[in-house]
Every structure is written in C-alpha cells, then in structure tokens.
Amino acid sequence: MEITNLEVGNYPDFLVLYNQTFPADQRRFYEDEEHLARFIKEKGGKFHAYAAKDGDLFLGFLSYWTFQGYIYIEHFAVEPEHRGKNIGSKMLNHLFKEAGENVLIEVEPPLDQESKDRIRFYERNGFVKREEIDYMQPPYEKGKKPVRLLLMTHGEVKITGKDDMKEMLHDVYNLNE
C-alpha cells in the first residue's frame, strides 16, 4: 500500500467513495471531477488530500485543511471491503508525519454501533473526545442542515469553543461570525 497526494486520476474513485460514505448534510457538493479540481486549486494550498492505493486499486482517502495551530480532517474514508486492514491507521500516521500531530476532527456522536466503533478507532489512534465543546457543524451550503457532531483532537490542539475555530469555520463552511 502507498499513500500519495490525491491526483486527478483518483478523482473518480474519490467522488464515488465520498458520495457513498457521507450523508448529504455532511459533505460539500462537487458537480464532477472538474469542479473538484477547481475547488482544490481555489483553496490556495490550505486544502489537501491523500489517496491510499494498492497498485491501481483505490483504497481510501483523507482530506484535510491546514490552519494556525492544527490540521482539520474534513473527510476520511476507506473502501468498505478494505476496512479493518489497518489502512486508516496508516493514513493517520502518514498525516501526523507529513502535516503535523495537532489534528481536529468532527465525528458523529456515539448513538449507534457504527459511530461508537468510529470513535474507538480514533481513540486507538491517539484522539480524545472534546465533549466540553458543544459543537454544531454549520451547513455546507444553502438548503443543507447543520449537524450536531462531536469534536475529537490529537496532539496539542488548543480550542475551547467556536471562537478558537473561526478560521476553520470561515474557510471550510464560509461562516463569517
């Protein structure tokens, strides 16, 4: 398995997994591969994505943003048939090594077995729940709903609430507060 920067040739696989994995209210809308390419180019080096591959086989992706004091993982998914093979942990370790140890992520609250398993995965990889922060993910665009999520951090992410996340909320969700 190799982890590389997401390349144009991976865009179709990325879009299929992205759209299958995340509910509409928890993802931005990409019309097609060209729209994705424009989005990446427009974000001026703040937005990045990795692809995990085994030869030509696309295994998953991790997309993230770089902000002052932390990395924010926006979306992270492994193909369902390849989960449980340590691919996700390897992708996180690659991120820690290449981009930094201070990482923020949003996860669904532990309301069902899948969300509980996901939280345990992150905890096994060094993340801690930040339950003291009441967090609502803003809508990605008009017509989408905000989503109550739980924040988790890895390393020394110094946030105590929304005020400490203004840059992220502005750049990711176009929120100007």
Side-chain angles (χ1 to χ4, degrees):
M1 181 186 90
E2 67 175 331
I3 300 169
T4 62
N5 289 328
L6 186 72
E7 298 171 353
V8 173
N10 302 129
Y11 288 3
D13 292 321
F14 169 90
L15 289 171
V16 168
L17 182 57
Y18 178 78
N19 289 317
Q20 287 176 345
T21 304
F22 298 96
D25 286 331
Q26 293 182 39
R27 61 181 153 87
R28 66 183 76 254
F29 174 71
Y30 296 115
E31 292 173 18
D32 53 26
E33 296 164 37
E34 290 80 24
H35 186 213
L36 173 61
R38 281 193 312 275
F39 175 82
I40 292 170
K41 187 176 180 182
E42 288 170 4
K43 294 307 166 183
K46 277 191 172 184
F47 178 85
H48 311 272
Y50 293 134
K53 295 173 63 179
D54 185 4
D56 289 335
L57 183 63
F58 185 81
L59 302 172
F61 70 87
L62 185 153
S63 66
Y64 69 96
W65 296 73
T66 54
F67 295 113
Q68 183 67 36
Y70 62 91
I71 303 298
Y72 164 67
I73 296 176
E74 184 176 18
H75 293 99
F76 179 26
V78 173
E79 289 285 356
E81 63 271 19
H82 296 288
R83 292 180 186 159
K85 298 179 181 177
N86 209 26
I87 295 166
S89 293
K90 288 178 182 176
M91 292 182 77
L92 286 174
N93 285 322
H94 183 82
L95 175 72
F96 300 151
K97 182 181 171 196
E98 298 295 318
E101 294 272 338
N102 299 335
V103 179
L104 170 69
I105 192 164
E106 306 160 332
V107 296
E108 293 165 330
L111 302 176
D112 59 24
Q113 193 59 48
E114 186 177 357
S115 56
K116 290 175 185 175
D117 290 346
R118 188 174 297 116
I119 289 169
R120 276 195 294 279
F121 164 78
Y122 286 116
E123 288 174 334
R124 282 193 310 273
N125 283 280
F127 284 80
V128 295
K129 292 183 275 190
R130 300 296 301 271
E131 294 175 290
E132 76 278 12
I133 301 172
D134 184 33
Y135 181 73
M136 184 76 76
Q137 176 193 26
Y140 270 100
E141 56 200 37
K142 194 174 184 162
K144 292 193 176 184
K145 296 180 176 122
V147 180
R148 179 149 314 277
L149 295 174
L150 175 65
L151 296 176
M152 295 184 79
T153 58
H154 182 279
E156 299 294 323
V157 178
K158 299 190 181 350
I159 58 169
T160 58
K162 227 176 178 177
D163 286 345
D164 298 323
M165 298 184 291
K166 283 183 180 178
E167 182 185 14
M168 184 270 282
L169 294 169
H170 174 267
D171 289 0
V172 177
Y173 301 106
N174 300 311
L175 198 63
N176 294 309
E177 289 185 1

